Amino acid sequence: MITEVAGQYNAQDLENRIRQMWEEAQTYRKVRENRVGKRKFFFVDGPPYTTGRIHLGTAWNKVIKDSILRYKSMNCFDVKDRPGWDMHGLPIEVKVEESFGFRSKRDIEAYGVDKFIQRCKEFALRQKDDMTAQFKMLGAWMDWDDPYMTLKNEYIEAAWWTLKKAHEHNLLERGLRVVNWCPRCQTAIADSEVEYWDETDYSIYVKFPVEGEENTYIVIWTTTPWTIPANVAVAVNPTFQYSKVRAWKDGTAEELIIASDLVESVLKEGRYKDYELLGTLSAKEMQELKYTHPLQDLVPGQKSIKHGVYAADFVTAENTGCVHIAPGHGLEDYELGLEMGLDIFCPVGEDGRYTADAGERYIGKYVKEADGDVILDLEERSKLLAQGRLTHRYGHCWRCKTPIIFIATSQWFLRISDLRDKMLDEVSKVTWYPEWAGSARFSDWINNARDWCISRQRYWGIPLPIWTCPACGHIEVIGTAAELEERSGQKLVDLHRPEVDAVLLDCPCGGKMKRSPDVFDVWFDSAVASWATLHFPSDEKQFEEWWPADFITEGHDQTRGWFYSQLGASMVSFGRAPYKSVLMHGFTLDDQGRKMSKSIGNVVQPEEVVQKYGADILRFYVLGANAPWEDLHFSWDAVENTSRMLNIFWNAYRFALPYMILDKFDASKADLSKYQSSLRAEDRWILSRVNSLIEEVTRSMEQYQLHRIVRSISDFILEDLSRWYIQLIRPRTWIEQEDPDKLAAYATIYEVLVTLSKIMAPFTPFLSESIYQNLVRGLDPNAPQSVHMCSWPGPKKELIDKRLEASMALVREISEAASNARQKKARKLRWPVLEIVIAPCKDDVDLDNLEPVLKGQTNSKKITVLSPGEKPKMKLEMAPVHRKIGPVHKGDAKLVVEALRIADASKIKRQLDEEGEAHLSIGDKSYTITREMVQFSELPPENLSAAEFSLGFVYVDITLTPELESEGYSREIIRRIQDMRKELDLRVEDRISAVVDIESKPILDLAMRQKEHIASEVRAAKFELGLGLELKGKLVKDWEIEGVCVRIGIDLI
RNA sequence: GGGCCCGUAGCUUAGCCAGGUUGAGCGCACGGCUGAUAACCGUGAGGUCACGCGUUCAAAUCGCGUCGGGCCCA
């Protein structure tokens, strides 16, 4: 049984009901089981970090995933859809630290690492549960009962196994490197964890005294005075020329060495009054210089260092052209240092404070606060040439926002820079949506790939499974828990710190190997997701069956993140990309394109949208707002629009239900094949359109052009279904007998709605399910239990008729033009017109059996299609051209003009055409009229109103006849009675009695001709029409129709 | 400094890959429709398709450059 539905589309109620139904019937599980053994579609979920709240971007991300998975499932794929959770790492440590008011690692150690880990774990698990509920609310169907979690032993093993592989392939390396260092978190952080924003720093010019030359200095520039104590060299560009100048300031002179092109600007910075050029030095000559450190007396570590000048390509023609090199504090500095064999001097500890190597003056000072001291000390020693402030982009720890520093520390690296070419090759084999995400953006990132620092000096993470022997330096990487148990004889319940720290292994040399105390960079966790999610390495069978992933999709920030980390990890362990296709999507921004942030107060919670509008509306909105790979500018207005659109769909769905129920529409009547001979052209048209729609949606879906899908579906619903087809079939639904014409319309709209419920199922799963349950399951209890178990509908090609679609498009255009023309002459659509004339300019108008439709929609008695170029009979207008008449007829010009005004234009034209001139007689005089004295124009006659359409013009003949007027008045009366029925809240099938009193006799006579028609249209069993009638009934109203008072009384019988 | 993306009506955008009359929605004004009705439709006003140069019979679309915005990198 089909049942009637609520008046308004109430998404919340509907979604709650459907959610409950799915829950009770275990629908999700059944849908997936339904496809077991079919073609495999391995999707890997990029694990969201367990922050506790999903934001709009996360919601969008999961909606995209869910829509695609539902689509694949309908297309008979056995879908792997394990969701994931990224649960380790600094963000959670920072949150837990905050909750206890901890300020440093020392606080954590004092509290107890075991308890701290426990808190982190509890925190992550709680957040995961909260977020799961939010994802479910969006209708995201994934395996929520069995997600992969990075904190599970099994997952940790996947990371261990991968590192062991890297070690076996000789890609794991320990080394002193300059890394991004967060002094607060006291750990190395990855390039991808550095957040840049503007910061104002010192900008100083320092003079380094040249050895063996009196009062001579190399001038360098830096924004980090605190790195001066660690200076070991100066770099110059091998292609630059340098100058030695004598410069005067405050009555004294000194000799300065600066890149030639920059002398003027540097001296200006230093406020020198004057200077003279002493000579130039080539880069080669520069490299022969030695200098002494400007703070040599303060920094004892500097005593043993030889300071020289070296060539480096990275030196640019900015500032002084001489670059201060501190290999302990800069990436390029370090690399230069390595190349040139310089000391890697780093007098700064992990806490960001100077060590004893920096000397008494600086020891214990936090480097970012020591800038002032360094400047002061330089000034005291007359080594400061100038100082100022500079605003520039500076890196910060992405979690605690502390400015990062560069320090040289000992870390573990994956040597993936060696794999660069292979990675590029793999990237080109992956299918990217859009194409440039891979070929341009990602490839560019990989081209700049450096070795991956995977070690972090923290607690809450996957422990590095690297054991080293303090005695002989032997290294062993453990791949699984079982292997660890075998090697150590200890079985660990939990593989996290601190338990694992206590495990010692025997070294072949007889010593005891200890675990390297670091944990993994959290990016490494998710990097192994594609095999960890398959329970690899413990379950190799699943890996064989599923890996690599068919599809992943994430935001464009993941270019440097998960797309990359997965590729890196997969390259070291399997030598290939772990995914076959990638859809890169955008960011969610506010309606002005700004990032959503708490400080601006423009954050929109997905829950807020769901509560106001419903999950389907949020889903349909985010999918359709723009192309997936572009940033989404969230707009409440646009959500409102989406809501309105789906409400129209709801109304369209609801429209036919009462009639169908009334007519006991059942499975036997739903069979379209029975009505082949009764289908009208418009039925065949909408069936063609809906099948074309299937084609469009399928084609867009195969390219993940999600926005086009939403557009196609919306257009179909609004334009084809609601604004057109339903309008066309309304009269047929009012027929009261078992009429094949009516049943054909029912069967057609049924077919259309059921098809829509299927093709919308991936995108608006709740609404689709609800319609499907009513229309399909309501008639056939043996139909698949859920719309999501149905197969994706293939287009029925035999129903697609492009000619018919084109003709209907034309009919719509002509109807619009006709109503435009009516409006020009103020003739309402309710009033029929005699004729509509279609006059195409060039192309034939092919109405393809749609003339009745056009007649009905334009409310006209006759349709005439002219052949191209042909015009309806036009009225010729003629205007006198004064400046041509005047010179010829002089004093009589006025008379001539007047005569032309009343003359017969067509007669004049004929004379002109035939004889080249015309003659006008006024009184007894004759005047000659030449062609240039008049201007002709063709106008439609008074009774025709014209409007343009794409192929030409449409003319509406608005001549009134008594027949037309009679129909017009009757329709006016019908509409008002219908309005009153509505007011009394009557049901469609209710019968009424009606009395209509019309105060004007002529109009009454006109209406009288249609008495029977009016009575039947308004279902009046008793109907009186007259003048001076007594009005009775439950509802009596006075109306005014075309200036005439009409009083109507109706009552339910 | 480099890479990628974006720039179309007051706002949000479609069209761009595949060159051939820039199309919608919101808002505004006027009109219409009415058994889907707290809905809907039509018409109007509003576009140097960021700018410049080039390719072409033809450029919003392709190429080069400039400017502005975003993301990422250095």
Side-chain angles (χ1 to χ4, degrees), chain A residues 114 153 252 289 406 437 444 481 595 706 763 795 890:
Chain A
D114 54 340
N153 281 352
T252 59
L289 301 177
F406 292 100
D444 178 61
K595 233 178 190 169
L706 304 169
F763 318 108
K890 309 238 161 69

Side-chain angles (χ1 to χ4, degrees), chain A residues 803-822:
Chain A
R803 178 182 164 211
L804 181 60
E805 288 189 30
S807 293
M808 189 62 98
L810 215 47
V811 164
R812 296 196 63 175
E813 263 194 56
I814 294 166
S815 297
E816 280 169 20
S819 67
N820 186 357
R822 276 171 171 273

Side-chain angles (χ1 to χ4, degrees), chain A residues 346-393:
Chain A
C346 181
V348 177
E350 298 189 345
D351 54 359
R353 293 172 191 279
Y354 287 111
T355 60
D357 285 342
E360 288 291 312
R361 168 84 172 104
Y362 299 122
I363 187 168
K365 278 192 176 136
Y366 184 52
V367 294
K368 291 293 279 183
E369 288 162 7
D371 282 341
D373 297 327
V374 171
I375 291 170
L376 205 69
D377 295 338
L378 287 169
E379 188 142 39
E380 275 176 7
R381 285 158 187 74
S382 305
K383 299 296 187 295
L384 192 69
L385 184 140
Q387 67 159 306
R389 304 286 276 183
L390 175 85
T391 301
H392 63 152
R393 277 162 68 77

Side-chain angles (χ1 to χ4, degrees), chain A residues 705-748:
Chain A
Q705 303 249 16
L706 304 169
H707 60 308
R708 293 197 190 195
I709 292 168
V710 171
R711 203 180 130 98
S712 299
I713 292 175
S714 302
D715 279 358
F716 176 82
I717 289 173
L718 291 176
E719 295 295 332
D720 297 334
L721 183 60
S722 167
R723 289 175 194 165
W724 200 244
Y725 185 68
I726 286 182
Q727 306 308 331
L728 294 180
I729 63 168
R730 277 160 104 154
R732 293 159 77 189
T733 60
W734 303 333
I735 300 168
E736 295 190 34
Q737 314 86 29
E738 285 273 294
D739 185 4
D741 184 36
K742 175 180 69 180
L743 294 176
Y746 286 169
T748 303

Side-chain angles (χ1 to χ4, degrees), chain A residues 998-1005 1027 1044-1045:
Chain A
I998 301 177
E999 65 166 19
S1000 152
K1001 182 72 172 62
I1003 297 198
L1004 174 63
D1005 290 344
L1027 193 128
V1044 173
C1045 178

Side-chain angles (χ1 to χ4, degrees), chain A residues 139-414:
Chain A
W141 264 8
M142 301 180 89
D143 193 359
W144 297 112
D145 295 336
D146 181 31
Y148 73 81
M149 294 185 245
T150 57
L151 55 68
K152 293 280 187 186
N153 281 352
E154 180 187 71
Y155 197 99
I156 291 174
E157 282 187 290
W160 283 10
W161 179 89
T162 305
L163 193 69
K164 185 173 173 145
K165 275 282 167 218
H167 184 51
E168 285 170 11
H169 295 148
N170 197 25
L171 293 165
L172 178 66
E173 176 180 275
R174 183 168 181 79
L176 193 68
R177 294 282 169 98
V178 167
V179 292
N180 304 301
W181 187 267
C182 173
R184 195 218 72 91
C185 301
Q186 295 189 28
T187 179
I189 58 178
D191 290 337
S192 53
E193 292 171 322
V194 179
E195 234 178 58
Y196 291 87
W197 65 77
D198 278 349
E199 197 79 65
T200 301
D201 275 316
Y202 290 101
S203 154
I204 60 168
Y205 292 80
V206 186
K207 298 182 287 186
F208 287 177
V210 177
E211 270 183 17
E213 291 185 51
E214 195 74 7
N215 200 23
T216 304
Y217 306 94
I218 301 169
V219 185
I220 64 95
W221 170 86
T222 182
T223 56
T224 49
W226 65 266
T227 61
I228 294 288
N231 172 277
V232 304
V234 165
V236 293
N237 189 302
T239 65
F240 289 178
Q241 189 198 57
Y242 291 83
S243 296
K244 188 195 266 187
V245 298
R246 179 174 293 128
W248 282 273
K249 180 161 69 173
D250 306 328
T252 59
E254 49 196 9
E255 289 168 20
L256 305 174
I257 298 171
I258 303 164
S260 301
D261 292 344
L262 298 160
V263 168
E264 298 271 354
S265 66
V266 173
L267 293 183
K268 202 175 158 209
E269 285 288 336
R271 299 193 176 152
Y272 288 88
K273 293 273 180 288
D274 201 5
Y275 78 95
E276 64 174 312
L277 181 66
L278 299 177
T280 60
L281 293 100
S282 66
K284 200 154 182 235
E285 289 166 317
M286 287 294 287
Q287 287 173 61
E288 286 157 16
L289 301 177
K290 298 277 176 257
Y291 67 94
T292 46
H293 193 271
L295 303 174
Q296 200 171 26
D297 57 319
L298 295 175
V299 186
Q302 283 287 358
K303 300 240 163 60
S304 56
I305 295 172
K306 294 272 168 275
H307 298 85
V309 178
Y310 301 87
D313 293 329
F314 60 77
V315 176
T316 57
E318 289 169 303
N319 305 305
T320 72
C322 304
V323 173
H324 147 61
I325 297 294
H329 294 308
L331 224 58
E332 286 169 331
D333 309 44
Y334 175 81
E335 274 158 16
L336 184 70
L338 224 54
E339 195 185 326
M340 302 296 174
L342 308 178
D343 293 279
I344 310 298
F345 184 51
C346 181
V348 177
E350 298 189 345
D351 54 359
R353 293 172 191 279
Y354 287 111
T355 60
D357 285 342
E360 288 291 312
R361 168 84 172 104
Y362 299 122
I363 187 168
K365 278 192 176 136
Y366 184 52
V367 294
K368 291 293 279 183
E369 288 162 7
D371 282 341
D373 297 327
V374 171
I375 291 170
L376 205 69
D377 295 338
L378 287 169
E379 188 142 39
E380 275 176 7
R381 285 158 187 74
S382 305
K383 299 296 187 295
L384 192 69
L385 184 140
Q387 67 159 306
R389 304 286 276 183
L390 175 85
T391 301
H392 63 152
R393 277 162 68 77
Y394 195 87
H396 301 77
C397 173
W398 75 339
R399 286 303 168 184
C400 71
K401 312 303 179 196
T402 306
I404 57 138
I405 58 174
F406 292 100
I407 60 173
T409 57
S410 180
Q411 301 288 348
W412 291 98
F413 288 85
L414 284 184

